[in-house]
Amino acid sequence: DGWWKAKTVYFPPNNACANNRVGAHIFAIEEMHRAIAIHPSISGLHLHTGSRVALIVQRRRTNDRKVTNHAEVLDKVQDVLRDWSIVVFSDFPQPPEVLETCQMFRRADIIIGPHGAGFANLICARSGVPLIEFQQKSHSWDYELLS
């Protein structure tokens, strides 16, 4: 039904210190990856439909860490990755449902976007998928430790 139930959920801390740059315990991340990989709606995904997939994360509902030249970035990615399918994950008007979001990140062959909460969905990405994360000078290490 799209919902997972748990007594305890271990997830990377959402704070400036990122658990002193340690991040979440590795067993928690590994178990979340395993649970996602065996979920029926994820495990049966056809990863490739002919072309590789670049997932671009777009933040529109906030001015914090928003890529102001998103259209230019998108154009450049399309120009450089001509044979790839370009998919945009956006928080506007609302982010996609959890399952659709997880499927988008799972299908991606590269993920590009600004540092922020949208990268918590990296837990759904396949191991080894390259990540290009736009960062400001001062930022939390949470997503670097998660990926």
Side-chain angles (χ1 to χ4, degrees):
D1 65 359
W3 292 96
W4 297 351
K5 298 175 185 169
K7 290 181 182 176
T8 305
V9 176
Y10 297 93
F11 199 74
N14 186 16
N15 57 49
C17 69
N19 196 16
N20 294 317
R21 291 191 176 182
V22 174
H25 293 284
I26 191 65
F27 74 87
I29 293 172
E30 289 171 354
E31 284 303 305
M32 285 189 285
H33 277 292
R34 187 188 65 72
I36 288 165
I38 64 172
H39 191 279
S41 297
I42 301 298
S43 63
L45 276 180
H46 297 287
L47 293 178
H48 291 285
T49 57
S51 62
R52 300 185 78 184
V53 176
L55 181 64
I56 312 292
V57 176
Q58 180 184 33
R59 296 172 59 103
R60 288 185 53 188
R61 294 179 59 194
T62 179
N63 288 325
D64 190 29
R65 295 183 307 272
K66 182 180 192 176
V67 177
T68 56
N69 65 337
H70 174 82
E72 292 174 55
V73 170
L74 185 60
D75 287 344
K76 189 64 173 178
V77 169
Q78 289 171 330
D79 185 47
V80 172
L81 302 177
R82 287 195 173 125
D83 296 332
W84 291 48
S85 295
I86 310 299
V87 176
V88 176
F89 170 80
S90 179
D91 61 355
F92 184 82
Q94 294 294 323
E97 295 293 324
V98 172
L99 182 57
E100 181 184 353
T101 295
C102 199
Q103 290 172 339
M104 291 171 79
F105 276 77
R106 191 76 176 175
R107 285 186 179 110
D109 294 295
I110 188 170
I111 300 168
I112 304 168
H115 175 86
F119 277 169
N121 298 305
L122 288 171
I123 197 69
C124 296
R126 289 174 286 120
S127 180
V129 169
L131 168 67
I132 298 174
E133 179 180 16
F134 307 140
Q135 300 175 344
Q136 69 276 19
K137 276 190 174 183
S138 174
H139 69 279
S140 174
W141 298 91
D142 297 341
Y143 305 112
E144 291 173 32
L145 298 170
L146 176 64
S147 60

